[in-house]
Amino acid sequence: MIVASWNINSVRLRLPLLLDYMKEIGPDVVCLQELKCLDEQFPRSEIEDAGYNVLVHGQKSWNGVAILSRRPAEEAKRGLPGDENDAQSRYIEATLPFGQGVLRVASIYLPNGNPAPTEKTEYKYAWMDRLHAHARDLLKLEEPLVLAGDYNVIPEPEDVYDPNAWVNDALFRPDTRRKFRALKNLGFTDALRATTDAAKTYTFWDYTSGAWQRNNGLRIDHLLLSPQAADRLVRVAIDKDMRAKEKPSDHVPIRAELRE
DNA sequence: ATGTCGCATTCCATGCGA
């Protein structure tokens, strides 16, 4: 069972790239972020034709998350609990058949929070607190669970090409890192870090300043695994080659294989 | 290097968010 996460930065623009990726890798689940379209604009039929069920939580212009699944997936949550006034589409959760039970998967697009410090940073922190509370509830289910997405969090200095340049950025501020640590400390495993300590293992390169050519990257896309999922972890891969394609997203997919 | 994108607007240039 392969679960992938990819901030695709406009699913309409990058549909050919997505279809190529699904054909090449054959993931069982793909969690997408930054769809940048409404539900009715999502390229549903093309993705269904490729053999995937589609759950979408879209939004005009910005944000938007989806879960694509070869197996029939049941929507469990649309929107992150904890604030009925939050209109941004940044969270969707589903369950699908896995072994004798289910696998629970969430596609997460955590707020960027820049410029910092501003009300955008406060929104990010509040969102992280809400994610923490919901994740705590989910762990009580004692299921295999993958919280997959663009966290907009650089966990550690080795996850950014120049830590000193990022200390005041909302992706690397002490409060951001502290909240991410607290989330993990509920009992999650950072899938990538369970498999390698290698520095310069990035999932994002800015479009500006030749960041890709200079390997000025960030590791901000993460797969957090519940204990029941972590016990089944086989391997993790970052599909870095997707950044070298024509018209790439600024993020690349990250995927984990779980033994069923 | 404020150096790139993608989306939206009353729209062919500019603002916003990342």
Side-chain angles (χ1 to χ4, degrees), chain A residues 221-233:
Chain A
D221 299 87
H222 308 297
L223 303 172
L224 294 191
L225 310 180
S226 71
Q228 293 77 11
D231 287 349
R232 298 178 171 279
L233 180 62

Side-chain angles (χ1 to χ4, degrees), chain A residues 163-174:
Chain A
N164 291 331
W166 287 77
V167 284
N168 294 317
D169 191 280
L171 277 60
F172 195 53
R173 291 174 82 85

